[in-house]
Amino acid sequence: MATASLISAVLFAVSYSGTKWTRSQLITGAATCGLFVVSVAMSRDFYSSLIVGSFLMGALLFGFCISKTTSSEAAFAAPISVITAVATYLAGTGIYEYIAEVMNHNPLWRVFGNFTNPDFFAGFLILSIPLALGGILSSRAVRSKASYSIALIVQTACLFLTGSRLGVAALVLSIITFAV
């Protein structure tokens, strides 16, 4: 994992090319780094937190590299569409899971999908919901806007079905950060 983080950092440095950062990029980067440091410092299992944080930082750096190295809007939209589609599929299976449990007279069921914990699933959805929202705002075609809107509705509904209070709080925080 350290190798992947190192490769992402090198790609980040190569792709930066001296462009000026926007205020929202700086706020998001600072907030992410701050949450990473606090999470690792407060964790009972330092090593596991460091590994998960490395995954997060590697993914963020990889996304930043994609955004800086792609020259066309279509090349940038392709990975975003794939990630949104996969997240929507997982959210759909989560909603199906909840409906099956309600039919078995278990209305207090917390959806966890393919994850071992509902909070982990909520964390995954928190990372994908802003992508769907960005897809709605950036696409020009009505068909794309409609598909991203459906994805946003399904993912948000599934997030609430996980029952994760911090997931909902993170959704509100991400929307505020997205608006800045």
Side-chain angles (χ1 to χ4, degrees):
M1 188 68 244
T3 306
S5 297
L6 180 63
I7 291 171
S8 296
V10 169
L11 286 173
F12 170 73
V14 168
S15 68
Y16 176 62
S17 72
T19 57
K20 190 173 183 180
W21 288 26
T22 64
R23 184 172 61 156
S24 63
Q25 286 173 330
L26 289 173
I27 291 172
T28 304
T32 304
C33 290
L35 286 174
F36 171 69
V37 169
V38 169
S39 175
V40 170
M42 302 295 285
S43 176
R44 293 181 183 167
D45 188 3
F46 179 76
Y47 182 70
S48 296
S49 295
L50 202 56
I51 289 174
V52 171
S54 297
F55 274 118
L56 174 66
M57 291 301 171
L60 289 173
L61 288 173
F62 182 70
F64 186 76
C65 292
I66 287 175
S67 70
K68 290 294 182 182
T69 57
T70 56
S71 58
S72 69
E73 191 174 306
F76 182 68
I80 301 298
S81 298
V82 170
I83 293 169
T84 304
V86 169
T88 303
Y89 171 75
L90 291 174
T93 59
I95 291 172
Y96 177 77
E97 172 190 337
Y98 181 77
I99 291 170
E101 288 297 323
V102 167
M103 296 297 220
N104 288 331
H105 306 292
N106 190 6
L108 299 177
W109 183 259
R110 291 181 65 196
V111 173
F112 59 88
N114 293 352
F115 295 83
T116 58
N117 186 329
D119 296 326
F120 296 162
F121 192 27
F124 171 76
L125 291 172
I126 288 299
L127 295 174
S128 64
I129 287 173
L131 294 177
L133 184 59
I136 292 170
L137 296 175
S138 66
S139 62
R140 292 186 178 96
V142 174
R143 192 175 292 174
S144 293
K145 283 185 184 283
S147 63
Y148 280 121
S149 298
I150 291 169
L152 181 65
I153 290 167
V154 169
Q155 291 175 27
T156 305
C158 189
L159 174 68
F160 285 109
L161 292 177
T162 63
S164 174
R165 293 175 297 208
L166 283 177
V168 174
L171 175 66
V172 171
L173 183 65
S174 68
I175 290 173
I176 291 170
T177 305
F178 193 85
V180 172

